[in-house]
Amino acid sequence: MQQGWTLHWLSAVLGLMGLAAAASPDFQHHRYEDMVRALYTVQSECPYITRIYSIGRSVEGRHLYVLEFSDNPGIHEALEPEFKYVGNMHGNEVLGRELLIKFSQFLCEEYRAGNQRIMRLIHDTRIHILPSMNPDGYEVAARQGPEFNGYLVGRGNAREIDLNRNFPDLNALMYYYEKTNGRNHHLPLPDNWEQQVEPETLAVIKWMQNYNFVLSANLHGGAVVANYPFDKSRDPRIRGRTTYAATPDDKIFRQLARTYSYAHSWMHKGWNCGDFFDEGITNGASWYSLSKGMQDFNYLYTNCFEITLELSCDKFPPASALPREWLGNREALVSYLEQVHHGIKGMVYDENNNPIGKAEISVAGVNHDVTGGVDGDYFRLLLPGTYTVTASAPGYVPSTRTVTVGPAEAIQLHFYLKTAPKQNLKVKPHNSKKNLSSPKNPLKLGPR
């Protein structure tokens, strides 16, 4: 009787949160075939709002499957932002993988149940979920199981390469450009970069090139904290400590990290796994400096703002711990996803109302621009406030407008650019092949 009352009370509380208590007995660890089966089950149960696609294969040939949620799967709709969750980048950090499988099931179930919050998210957002970026490493870790899993066994891919130290290092180039007033976004990749990265990394970079992602989170384990860019310190170590490396969007990143931390059941309390992080958040470089990481690469190469979520002290928790972890993270996963709808968004047109693709959007006082999509739409995450925003494109006269952003949904701000007089056209020289190398940092095998 007491147990039944408790479940009824829990259902009522979750209902007040706008999330039905979809109690499901299927909490388990998913090997590769089980994961694929689970994703296709979701797709079969919600065929009109989901699509499964592969972005490539691992070293051992396993597909890197993505499950997409949208009211028009497979289609980018103008002014509808693209969002992604990535799990299991380190093969032995498995909670993110299981949470994203469960989150996919949850989105499908809640949509079918008529949950207005979830239905609106799926109608207004294109959501991409990659449960496992490193399926080969996971299989190595899973063969040992939760009881005997070591701190490093299965962390890397099949070649034992740490995928979160495998992206092109654009931080060194960015820090140079900060001093020389160079580009502040969409930095050029080094020559032969495709030969310098692992197949899993290559697949994710190609994925980023094909979708104009606005917001992302990368799920890890080994600590409990929301970690935000920059991961790589601008300065060398000082007495064994690294220093805070702020991005031009530091305030936004702090708010994004806090959004997840405070929506999480215990991350925001700070004391976890023997460490203390105020508000449950940290700047990556302030924690420890990391080179060639994925979240910095997102920010410097694409329009995407990504944070790294450390979600469990135990990298491979037992299946019995999964229900508690799901309840602890569920609201945070939804709340963070909703952040993609803040700031400003709009279209950039020419004088004849034709969309202008790849226009650059700059915000006065923030030294980080974003580039519009090929269809002419753009998205710029901003905190509440008043901003001066400029849209520019080659061959057109830039247009500047002032906009006030509120705490609710993104403000629509459209631009109409006039063709520039021919005599005013100037081509700025740009050495896209400049590649700055930096001394190799010693490998730091922390959670990230």
Side-chain angles (χ1 to χ4, degrees):
M1 185 68 180
Q2 179 66 30
Q3 182 182 15
W5 184 90
T6 301
L7 289 174
H8 177 76
W9 175 84
L10 180 61
S11 297
V13 171
L14 293 173
L16 289 174
M17 294 167 57
L19 301 173
S24 182
D26 57 350
F27 286 98
Q28 65 182 64
H29 286 294
H30 292 75
R31 299 290 286 263
Y32 178 74
E33 293 78 8
D34 300 325
M35 179 186 72
V36 173
R37 191 177 301 111
L39 296 180
Y40 272 97
T41 298
V42 172
Q43 202 278 327
S44 67
E45 292 177 350
C46 289
Y48 301 112
I49 58 166
T50 59
R51 175 178 73 108
I52 292 178
Y53 64 97
S54 171
I55 61 172
R57 290 179 181 266
S58 66
V59 170
E60 295 181 343
R62 294 180 176 90
H63 277 288
L64 304 180
Y65 282 118
V66 175
L67 179 60
E68 173 192 337
F69 283 86
S70 170
D71 56 345
N72 286 289
I75 300 171
H76 173 73
E77 300 175 71
L79 301 179
E80 185 170 290
E82 310 264 356
F83 176 96
K84 62 181 166 70
Y85 271 132
V86 178
N88 201 207
M89 185 182 199
H90 290 144
N92 64 334
E93 296 171 13
V94 307
L95 180 59
R97 174 188 180 113
E98 299 307 329
L99 288 177
L100 291 182
I101 293 172
K102 185 63 182 174
F103 187 60
S104 301
Q105 297 167 343
F106 169 78
L107 291 178
C108 175
E109 292 167 2
E110 294 301 302
Y111 187 92
R112 294 175 63 187
N115 184 322
Q116 292 299 308
R117 184 183 182 192
I118 300 304
M119 291 179 71
R120 188 177 185 189
L121 262 181
I122 292 174
H123 288 164
D124 296 344
T125 324
R126 196 174 178 202
I127 305 163
H128 305 258
I129 298 174
L130 174 62
S132 181
M133 182 179 167
N134 185 4
D136 296 353
Y138 176 87
E139 294 302 313
V140 173
R143 282 195 286 271
Q144 287 198 329
E147 296 83 5
F148 304 103
N149 188 254
Y151 194 76
L152 298 177
V153 176
R155 176 185 176 94
N157 69 352
R159 295 174 181 152
E160 298 186 1
I161 300 298
D162 187 330
L163 299 178
N164 207 30
R165 312 292 192 281
N166 190 237
F167 284 78
D169 182 5
L170 299 182
N171 293 76
L173 185 56
M174 180 74 250
Y175 299 158
Y176 171 77
Y177 281 163
E178 286 177 342
K179 299 175 182 177
T180 60
N181 199 29
R183 284 189 65 83
N184 64 22
H185 75 300
H186 281 68
L187 302 189
L189 296 176
D191 294 335
N192 302 318
W193 69 272
E194 293 190 22
Q195 284 73 49
Q196 300 170 18
V197 300
E198 293 299 296
E200 297 89 349
T201 310
L202 176 63
V204 168
I205 293 176
K206 295 288 188 182
W207 189 33
M208 295 177 188
Q209 292 173 337
N210 290 330
Y211 296 85
N212 187 17
F213 292 114
V214 178
L215 183 62
S216 173
N218 176 21
L219 281 56
H220 284 243
V224 178
V225 64
N227 175 97
Y228 56 91
F230 283 124
D231 267 338
K232 183 175 181 178
S233 178
R234 287 181 174 84
D235 307 307
R237 288 172 177 265
I238 301 174
R239 295 178 183 174
R241 296 182 64 85
T242 52
T243 54
Y244 196 114
T247 69
D249 288 289
D250 186 62
K251 291 182 180 179
I252 297 175
F253 274 116
R254 289 177 62 85
Q255 180 58 32
L256 290 170
R258 277 195 294 260
T259 295
Y260 198 96
S261 178
Y262 277 96
H264 188 281
S265 294
W266 56 87
M267 183 182 289
H268 60 279
K269 296 179 180 178
W271 284 108
N272 293 293
C273 317
D275 293 321
F276 178 77
F277 296 100
D278 189 31
E279 296 188 287
I281 69 173
T282 186
N283 171 258
S286 180
W287 187 9
Y288 62 86
S289 186
L290 182 161
S291 292
K292 302 183 179 182
M294 186 165 71
Q295 73 174 10
D296 285 8
F297 183 85
N298 268 270
Y299 185 70
L300 296 175
Y301 183 64
T302 77
N303 294 318
C304 190
F305 287 42
E306 179 173 281
I307 68 173
T308 300
L309 298 170
E310 303 284 352
L311 297 178
S312 60
C313 303
D314 190 346
K315 291 192 172 197
F316 206 129
S320 59
L322 298 180
R324 175 179 181 269
E325 294 288 356
W326 166 243
L327 289 176
N329 284 275
R330 179 178 55 187
E331 171 60 27
L333 288 167
V334 177
S335 294
Y336 183 79
L337 202 166
E338 290 172 330
Q339 300 307 301
V340 77
H341 292 287
H342 292 291
I344 60 175
K345 66 179 180 179
M347 298 291 299
V348 181
Y349 297 105
D350 65 15
E351 296 162 290
N352 300 313
N353 289 331
N354 297 312
I356 300 174
K358 301 291 185 179
E360 290 193 359
I361 309 298
S362 60
V363 178
V366 183
N367 189 31
H368 183 82
D369 302 340
V370 298
T371 299
V374 294
D375 300 319
D377 58 346
Y378 75 89
F379 305 85
R380 202 348 169 154
L381 297 179
L382 292 169
L383 294 177
T386 299
Y387 300 90
T388 300
V389 185
T390 300
S392 59
Y396 296 91
V397 178
S399 174
T400 300
R401 298 185 61 185
T402 300
V403 62
T404 297
V405 176
E409 290 194 355
I411 301 296
Q412 288 201 23
L413 181 67
H414 304 306
F415 289 91
Y416 298 84
L417 306 186
K418 296 181 179 180
T419 303
K422 289 187 178 180
Q423 63 269 26
N424 290 343
L425 288 178
K426 294 182 180 180
V427 178
K428 290 179 71 176
H430 176 60
N431 182 8
S432 63
K433 293 188 177 181
K434 178 166 284 190
N435 177 25
L436 296 177
S437 59
S438 59
K440 288 188 175 180
N441 292 329
L443 184 61
K444 170 68 175 175
L445 291 177
R448 292 175 288 153

